[in-house]
Every structure is written in structure tokens, then in C-alpha cells.
Amino acid sequence: MMSKVAPTKRREVRPTDQPPEGATHPDARPLLSFTAKKRGKAPLHLADCDAQARRELLQQAGLPAFRADQLSRHYFDHFLADAQQMTDIPAHARSIIEEKILPRLVEQVTVLRADAGMTLKHLWKLYDGATVESVLMGYGDRTTLCVSSQAGCGMACPFCATGQMGLTRNLSTAEIVDQVRLAHRACADGDLACGPTRLTNVVFMGMGEPLANYKAVIAAIHRLIDPSPQGFGMSARGITVSTVGLVPAIHKLAAEGIPVTLAVSLHAPDDDLRDDLIPINSRWKVTELLDAARHYFLSTGRRVSIEYALIKDMNDQPRRAQLLANELNKRGKGWVHVNPIPLNPTPGSIWTASTRRAQDEFVRILRDNGISTTIRDTRGSDIDGACGQLATAVKEGRRASVKVTNQEDS
């Protein structure tokens, strides 16, 4: 009679098995940063201002206040920022508007296409030469923009290309909003393969930690959801704000009373792993973070998304799936949705995607425990799709920094 062979224990890797990119010694650890390298301020722009401030801005520029609504409709209704194309504005006023009301903040460097033309990834140059990325994705029932809120990021997550850049600076409200305007324009002009469409969703999941640039992000959300001529008039339910776990800011966001979706980039259900994987966990532990997320649900009625990048042999074990289910269920039922995300493979690195078998087992355990779970659709893996990858590739010369023809002023 043959004896049973004991199952082989799965290898487990840790973030500390590979130093952060650019580390000068093997024991280097990621360092959190809330202080920008550059403290310069973007020029004041119409989109930085609420209705009253816009009128004051016009008057300071020597123009009549009533033109504030006129310019706002050009910007938010027609997605137009080139004053020379505003034929209902006197010619002598257009140069003043270009200089003092609608200065160019965002300039296209490169655009890459993927997924049969249904994904567009833009690299933008800001007024001071800093670069950020946005990704426009067309689906059958919606069109989504992934927008950046910082140039670089200070959260130092070792598996994230943006996290390895460090924080350059916060974006202004208008620099965020202008990414959205340009996406609206691209949709209206039919730049996606599906032809003309409408931008329906915006996710603050691009470069940067949105809640570390809280004031500008909240103002940008108002520009997105406020009705014309104050904003684009988008649905707040189509806006998602992600965070790696700035607990006080989550409570602050809950108190705003804006029904946007909160997405928590968890990536590990236990402090033992998350301390190394997500450095901010050294300040606010998993329990505090999930308690804050539950509070957000209770305050807003909006189900929270848990983002979980599946990394091979690191955080994709069945025991961690069960621990995640336990942590979520002990705080109640139906308040959360989990999005496991296959990590973009990185050849020769410990940061690579889970196997399909491990992914399916992870999802099965969550669903068996009553957790609503959907594998996140990955887009643009062939065009440096994850945030920060394109900017890094262009900087290092691995992608051509070719400026494509602009439709207007992008």
C-alpha cells in the first residue's frame, strides 16, 4: 500500500526579499513622504475657483464679471479652453483670458493606444515640466477616466512604479480638472474606437494618493459634479476616490456628504505583511483602516471597494483570503465589494501576477464567505498601463516621447 505524500508547502515571498528600486543597499526600506520636492504653485485658473471667485478673477483681470458664466460654459459644457476659438468673446479680451483666466496647465506629451483602441493612456506635461498620467477606458455601458492627483507619490509602496518615484508635488484643482476636461473632449471627438461617447466615470486611481492632496481633490470633485456652469454636472455616484489608508482623511471625506465611492487599496489583510507592503500601515493599522471604511459606508450609504492586487506567493494564499473575508464580515454584511486585481507582470521581479489557479481559489473563498467579489478588468498591460509606468518609461528612454497632433489645446 502506497503512503500518502504530504502536500508541498507553497513558497512565500516578502516585500523585504527585494529592495525598493534604486536602493543603495540591500536593507533599504521605503520612506513615506508628505513633503513635495517642488513647492511651486500652478497659475490660477478658472477651474480653481467657485462661482464667486470666478467673477472676482475676471474683475481683477479688467474684464466684466458677467463673462465668468460665459467662459464657464465654454469650459464645462463644450470642453473648450482655447480663448481664440470663443467667437462670442471680444477679440481684445481673448489674450487676457489666455494669460489670466485660462492659462495652459496640461500639455500632451504622448498618447498610447491599447485594447483595440478602447484604452488611451496619456502622458501630460504640467506647467513646470512635471509629468502625470491619465487613462481613458471605454466599456460597453460606460467610459471611465483614471485621473492623477499628484506628480509622483509619497506613499512609497514598493510594488508601485509611482510609489518608487517619490512625491514631486501636489496638483492644483485645475490641473486635475483639466485632465477630466480633455477626457470629455476626447470622448466627444470620438477618439476611442467606439466613436463619440460620453465620459461617465472618473476614478482617482492614477498617480498619487488623493487624500494626501485633500483640499484640491475635494474642490475638483465639486467641479466634476456641480451643475453647469459651475461644473461638468457628472453624477457623484460615478466618482471613486482611492486611498492606501489615510484614516483621518477618510473620516473627513465621510463628513463631506458627497456620495462618491471610497476605494481602499488594502492588498493585505494582516499587519504582518501590510506593514512591509504598504508603508502607511505603520501609522494606521488594518483594523483602524477597515473600521474607518465601515464608518464611511454607514455615513454615506455607499458600498466601499476593497482593492487587492494579487501578487504571486506573497498575498494570494488561501489563508489570507479567509482572513480577509473574516475581517470584512465581522464588521457586517453587504457593506463592501472586493476587487482582486491581477498585478501587471514584472519579469525577473518578485512583483508578478498570481497564477490563474491561485486567483480563482482566492476569489472562490471570498464568495463562499458571502463577500461580493469581482476580478478587476486590467487594461493596457502592453502600454505600461499601471500608474507611473509610462512616465518612468519615457524618462528612461524606453518609450518614445513623441508629441502627437493635438485636436485643440491638449
Side-chain angles (χ1 to χ4, degrees), residues 21 31-38 131 150-157 160-170 207-209 392 395:
E21 295 179 17
L31 296 175
L32 290 167
S33 173
F34 290 90
T35 304
K37 295 176 185 176
K38 294 184 179 180
T131 56
Q150 295 179 312
C153 182
M155 297 297 102
C157 299
C160 173
T162 309
Q164 292 308 302
M165 292 178 179
L167 176 62
T168 298
R169 67 172 175 86
N170 288 329
M207 295 173 68
E209 162 57 50
T392 300
K395 182 178 180 181

Side-chain angles (χ1 to χ4, degrees), residues 86-156:
M86 300 177 185
T87 56
D88 56 348
I89 300 291
H92 75 273
R94 294 174 197 170
S95 60
I96 298 174
I97 291 169
E98 287 180 335
E99 180 184 356
K100 298 184 177 181
I101 312 299
L102 294 171
R104 181 175 295 190
L105 299 179
V106 176
E107 182 179 357
Q108 183 172 282
V109 177
T110 298
V111 60
L112 302 177
R113 296 176 179 268
D115 306 307
M118 293 300 286
T119 298
L120 300 179
K121 181 155 191 176
H122 287 88
L123 181 65
W124 307 107
K125 184 174 70 174
L126 306 181
Y127 82 98
D128 58 354
T131 56
V132 297
E133 301 169 6
S134 67
V135 184
L136 184 63
M137 298 162 283
Y139 301 89
D141 59 344
R142 67 193 187 282
T143 305
T144 299
L145 175 70
C146 182
V147 68
S148 292
S149 56
Q150 295 179 312
C153 182
M155 297 297 102

Side-chain angles (χ1 to χ4, degrees), residues 267-268 273 277 308-311 313-317 320 362:
H267 307 313
L273 176 59
L277 194 59
Y308 197 103
L310 288 168
I311 306 171
D313 297 329
M314 185 179 296
N315 66 351
D316 61 352
Q317 302 86 354
R320 284 202 162 92
F362 199 93

Side-chain angles (χ1 to χ4, degrees), residues 150-363:
Q150 295 179 312
C153 182
M155 297 297 102
C157 299
F159 62 93
C160 173
T162 309
Q164 292 308 302
M165 292 178 179
L167 176 62
T168 298
R169 67 172 175 86
N170 288 329
L171 267 60
S172 68
T173 295
E175 287 174 320
I176 298 170
V177 173
D178 216 38
Q179 294 173 66
V180 181
R181 178 189 67 84
L182 289 163
H184 274 292
R185 183 71 183 265
C187 288
D189 288 350
D191 288 0
L192 291 169
C194 59
T197 186
R198 184 174 66 90
L199 183 66
T200 57
N201 297 73
V202 174
V203 295
F204 285 80
M205 293 182 177
M207 295 173 68
E209 162 57 50
L211 296 187
N213 187 17
Y214 189 89
K215 185 177 179 180
V217 166
I218 290 298
I221 289 172
H222 278 290
R223 306 295 177 267
L224 268 56
I225 66 175
D226 287 351
S228 175
Q230 307 313 321
F232 295 114
M234 301 180 71
S235 170
R237 295 177 180 273
I239 311 299
T240 297
V241 178
S242 71
T243 180
V244 293
L246 277 65
V247 167
I250 292 174
H251 287 290
K252 193 174 179 182
L253 182 63
E256 296 281 351
I258 307 173
V260 298
T261 298
L262 175 70
V264 173
S265 296
L266 189 67
H267 307 313
D270 54 304
D271 290 326
D272 177 51
L273 176 59
R274 198 170 193 269
D275 281 348
D276 291 337
L277 194 59
I278 310 292
I280 199 67
N281 205 68
S282 62
R283 298 197 184 186
W284 297 289
K285 299 299 185 182
V286 170
T287 294
E288 296 173 273
L289 175 54
L290 293 180
D291 285 347
R294 170 69 176 177
H295 169 74
Y296 187 87
F297 165 76
L298 293 174
S299 297
T300 65
R302 297 292 292 159
R303 189 171 63 168
V304 174
S305 292
I306 299 293
E307 310 298 305
Y308 197 103
L310 288 168
I311 306 171
K312 184 178 180 182
D313 297 329
M314 185 179 296
N315 66 351
D316 61 352
Q317 302 86 354
R319 65 182 178 85
R320 284 202 162 92
Q322 187 62 57
L323 178 58
L324 176 59
N326 294 344
E327 287 292 332
L328 298 177
N329 279 335
K330 76 181 183 182
R331 290 170 171 81
K333 301 286 187 179
W335 69 277
V336 71
H337 183 94
V338 177
N339 286 318
I341 309 164
L343 191 76
N344 277 353
T346 306
S349 169
I350 62 172
W351 313 111
T352 193
S354 298
T355 64
R356 182 61 182 267
R357 181 177 179 181
Q359 172 186 294
D360 290 347
E361 177 70 358
F362 199 93
V363 170

Side-chain angles (χ1 to χ4, degrees), residues 62-85:
L63 299 173
F66 75 83
R67 297 223 179 263
D69 280 0
Q70 190 177 16
L71 291 174
S72 295
R73 292 188 187 280
H74 277 298
Y75 188 88
F76 291 107
D77 290 351
H78 305 294
F79 321 127
L80 183 64
D82 182 359
Q84 297 304 324
Q85 295 186 32

